[in-house]
Amino acid sequence: MQAEKRETTMDRVSKGLARRYRRERWFRLFGLSAIVTSVCFIALLFVSIGANGWSAFQQTEVLLDIHFDKEQFDVDNLSTANYGALVKNSMQALFPDVTGRSDKRELNKLVSSGASYVLQKMVIKDTGIIGSTKKIWLPADDEVDMFLKGYISRDVAESARRLNDKQIGWIDQLVAEGRLEKKFNTIFFTAGDSREPELAGIRGAVAGSLFTLAVTLLLSFPIGVATAVYLEEFAPRNRWTDLVEVNINNLAAVPSIVFGLLGLAVFLNVFGMPRSAPLVGGLVLTLMTLPTIIIASRASLKSVPPSIREAALGVGASKMQAITHHILPLAMPGMMTGTIIGMAQALGETAPLLMIGMVAFIVDVPHGVTDPATVLPVQIYLWADSPERAFVERTSAAIMVLLGFLISMNAIAVFLRRKFERRW
Amino acid sequence: MESMSAVLTTGETPFLGAYSMTQEKVRQEDKAPRENRMTVGVPFVDDARMTCRGVNVYYGEKHAINNVSIDVGRNEVLAMIGPSGCGKSTFLRCLNRMNDTVEGCRVEGDIQLDELNIYDKSVDVVPLRAQVGMVFQKPNPFPKSIYDNVAYGPKIHGLASSRAELDEVVESSLKKAGLWSEVSDRLDQPGTGLSGGQQQRLCIARAIAVRPEVILMDEPCSALDPIATATVEDLISELQEQYTIVIVTHNMQQAARVSQRTAYFHLGDLIEVGSTDRIFTNPRHRLTEDYITGRFG
Amino acid sequence: MWKKGLTLATASIILASAAVNVYAASGRDYISIVGSSTVYPFATTVAEQFGKTSKFKTPKIESTGSGGGMKLFCAGSDIDTPDITNASRRIKFSEYEKCQKNGVNEIVEVKIGYDGIVLANSKAAPQMTLSKKDIFFALAKEVPDPQGGEKLIANPYTTWKEVNPSLPDTKIEVLGPPPTSGTRDAFVELAMEGGCSKVDWIKALKETDKKYYKSVCHTVREDGAYVEAGENDNLIVQKLEANPKALGIFGFSFLDQNGDKIQGSVVEGELPTFENIAAGKYPVSRPLYFYVKKSHVGVVPGMTEFLGEFINDKAWGEEGYLSDKGLIPMPAEERKQFAADVVALKPLVMSK
Ligand SMILES: Nc1ncnc2c1ncn2[C@@H]1O[C@H](COP(=O)(O)OP(=O)(O)O)[C@@H](O)[C@H]1O
Ligand SMILES: [Mg+2]
């Protein structure tokens, strides 16, 4: 009798068991496929950006024998010398049989207009080279670069490409002589923006982003943490604090452009701060990231076990001491994670910056928070909108740099969480 | 503030007169009926360290402690027993104003430590909690080194003027807590890495490092295994020489082993107080009897 | 840590306000330009050239759109307002009035050249030969009833052949900019309205009910034949490559850069080539302008020199570097006249 009864219980359990496992399998399968799909999309994104952008890390340069002709230089005013002529002369020397005004023009177009600035810098740095002849690698024009990288095909009709048959002939000759080579693109990392793709770099945008983020971090972290601590530990629970809480959560969902409008109205129009400045950008992004930081900080304060609080209060710590000595240090990893995620969001923002004039062409690398500046995502947006084909690969390369920053920031967040995660 | 008259009438229950230390057996028919919610036994002592009169505690609308009056004697261990949810922890936490931190908790009545009303507006809770230390149900060392755990209290209260003095306080506290021999060679390791029993003794060391006068313990052994429990119980007996201890426990053997007096709580009421021996051998209230004979709890 | 954070915050706020004060005291040592995204590539080229060859800083150029630029430009004449605004259309009278009202009394108008708006498709498909009328009938929201009579019906045409029997039998699918874009405004005005006015009874409306006339000629169909492809012209070019059946609308410089992949459609018998646009033969082209705040000339360093760089034939001439960037230069005569106006800083006078 007893044995029979026990068997029926087991039977029932095992009958249900198959269904239970099936459900579990389905759930796991579902989760797995969701992850696989998203990983595929990310991989696709990275591959397409990488495929488009990797070539931008190389730039075609041309080796010219530049004769720093004494005649051309006025020792008192080195910057006004005709450096373009030095380049033209050496091109002429390489192709002596090119005559005629328009042919010469076409020939000189193969070298970037930036070549003369390179020479100018060299001379100003070392006047001793005046009078000598030097072999110098100079940036080639972006069309030449595109051609060598295979983005311009020689098979299409002459009228349909930006290089004519003669120019391609000269390029072939230069390549055969070993005077045209792809080299690591240092300009991309050291220069500010330019309308010539071969001279355009991300240094200005990176500096602008760093200044902007520095202002954002310096303001939003202390203010965010202070707000979170006040709301979580000191504020009485009443209708007002509920209202504040609802509003903070709302702010987190407000479209970022609204913060730009606010920044325009308050910081520029009322306080008269300069347009296009990282300072104002940082202030606007502070407004945008504050809700994120406050919400994350409150969550991590909440997650500190009450037993720690009681322990501190139990030995006679004041409320402030309990918070600063025990609760904040324990909540800090979570707060920092929230802050870094907020910063990463801020790093990718363009919309609010449009209103305060940071969507702009700025050549000079900013040196402070009031210098006009732009930021990485804006640089990407501006390049993506440029007609020159060489900007396509630079756009992708700049995206790679931005993604690099984002990934490292998020990696730091994960690292901090791992490192400071404590068991209690 | 609740009037004292209620307490006085409580004191004049018919059973008070019949009480004597000779432990004569109370006849079954003389025991207080279950409906009686007046405290029976002897809630007051001469030369009390802490005196509580007419204490009422509310959590919002909920009346968690109802008109409790009791004394805590000098250098005695007072055990508080009762079914779960009867308000033992709540009452214990009134004694060092830990309830202040609970939102919506209201305490009424008069609680004095050495003739000073601790709920008076002029009283600062920080020194109060240094005087009345607390050990919690679940061991809760700070996620810091063993040393820092013990040194924290003396540091914030400025009890040690030099590093050497602090070292000494830490050492003596750990010794008193019976933990020194086990951790003396790893003071810089995290307190959270110790075993449960060691952690609880560390918490006791942390509490006694600020040299309190009273130590409150809320079920300090409920998360420990029997061996660790025995160690902590021994420790309590030793500490009794220097400190006044109030311990909440749901383990009646433990109450019997470590305490001199026992108070029985039931649904927010203090039902019976008396010497531990008498409470366990000869309860005067039906509810107390029900509880210690295991009829509920 | 807690206190440190607070101190840091206060310190940074103090620093920030100090920095602003310094800025306000020192004025501005670079030229500030705002305005049209169509003029942006040309203005930036000149600005960069100017910055590299002069002792002045490179001007800052914001891409705000023509209307947005005017708004900023006309906001006032203090030093923190822009010195120059670019526009892909002429200043409107209402904008001129607003400028006057805000104390921007003297504005110098400079036309810099022309921009062609092209209809193009992939080289994989045959080249299209269109008239403005074809464009109107293919893209308008409402067209005259083919049954006759002076009434409008919702655009019934789904293929080009239905619009004009000489056109190929492919679906009408045009990728173009959204209504916020200046290119779209110009296209609607030049191509669609041009075709629209070929219908006599609609043309007559211009005299009697101008508002209605405009709404008929300027409203683009919304049934999916015209796809708003965003402000990014490169994106439209890419989409054309992927979809040979589609036609795209964008600025000439993008055709110029991608001549190996896409081809411009013939409009009114003319191909959108540099020469045809420059000669004024290609019908869908518009002038580009910039406007200078005269009161800032001589105040902001480098203004005169920057204007000088722009009106140099080396920049805006037939062989100038701007033509490499796709700007269609004005005829020499017109250039001379505008250059003279710039040198004299002749203020613009507008009346309703
Ligand atoms: N923070 C609180 N808020 C509301 N009610 C509480 C709170 N803490 C305890 N209580 C209630 O007060 C009563 C006494 O609880 P407690 O003192 O913890 O009981 P014990 O420790 O005797 O088990 C219980 O009914 C409990 O539900
Ligand atoms: Mg309890």
Side-chain angles (χ1 to χ4, degrees), chain B residues 39-45 52 65 68-73 76-83 86-89 91-92 95 245-252 255-256 259-280 283 285 287-289 291-292:
Chain B
T39 307
V40 300
V42 188
F44 308 134
V45 297
C52 311
I65 291 290
V68 167
S69 299
I70 190 172
D71 283 351
V72 184
E76 76 167 0
V77 178
L78 170 67
M80 301 204 290
I81 58 170
C86 67
K88 306 178 295 284
S89 300
F91 185 69
L92 188 75
L95 301 181
I245 296 173
V246 184
I247 178 170
V248 170
T249 175
H250 56 217
N251 178 336
M252 278 175 284
S259 70
Q260 285 85 52
R261 284 169 78 229
T262 296
Y264 173 67
F265 284 77
H266 188 91
L267 289 177
D269 294 304
L270 177 57
I271 298 298
E272 182 166 356
V273 189
S275 78
T276 302
D277 289 346
R278 197 206 33 85
I279 292 271
F280 283 105
H285 200 292
L287 287 170
T288 318
E289 185 180 36
Y291 183 69
I292 60 178

Side-chain angles (χ1 to χ4, degrees), chain A residues 101 105 109 117 120 143 151-153 156 160-162 193-197 199 218-219 222-223 225-226 229 271-276 279 320 324 328 332 354 356-364 369-370 372 382-389 392, chain C residues 1-2 5-6 8-9 12-13 16-17 19-20 23 30 32 34 37 40-42 44-45 47-49 52-53 57-64 72 80 82 123 231-235 238 253-254 256-261 318-320 323-325:
Chain A
R101 213 177 88 79
R105 225 173 93 86
K109 269 191 188 166
Y117 311 129
Q120 180 184 348
E143 311 285 357
Y151 292 118
I152 294 179
S153 160
V156 297
R161 48 175 140 80
R162 305 258 310 162
D193 196 8
S194 170
R195 285 294 304 142
E196 304 303 326
L199 303 179
L218 241 48
L219 290 174
I223 296 176
V225 170
V229 169
F271 292 128
M273 292 185 179
R275 273 183 83 80
S276 318
L279 174 65
M320 203 66 211
T324 51
L328 265 189
M332 203 39 80
L354 179 71
I356 54 159
M358 288 186 87
V359 178
F361 176 73
I362 289 153
V363 173
D364 301 319
V369 292
T370 52
L382 289 174
W383 283 352
D385 220 11
S386 301
E388 290 83 358
R389 194 172 290 178
V392 172
Chain C
M1 172 161 333
W2 177 242
L6 277 179
L8 261 179
S12 53
I13 288 168
S17 40
V20 170
Y23 162 86
Y30 57 88
S32 167
V34 294
S37 53
Y40 173 88
F42 310 124
T44 46
T45 307
E48 186 177 357
Q49 191 70 25
K52 285 192 170 147
T53 54
K57 283 201 168 171
T58 309
K60 178 192 90 184
I61 302 179
E62 285 179 45
S63 173
T64 61
L72 289 166
D80 45 330
K123 283 211 156 168
E231 298 254 18
N232 189 322
D233 291 357
N234 270 323
L235 213 62
Q238 277 174 27
S253 28
F254 289 84
D256 192 34
Q257 287 282 337
N258 296 288
D260 52 344
K261 296 176 188 158
E318 271 110 20
E319 305 249 289
S323 71
D324 284 346
K325 293 279 170 198

Side-chain angles (χ1 to χ4, degrees), chain C residues 183-194:
Chain C
T183 311
R184 159 90 166 249
D185 288 346
F187 175 79
V188 162
E189 210 161 285
L190 297 165
M192 291 208 7
E193 192 182 329

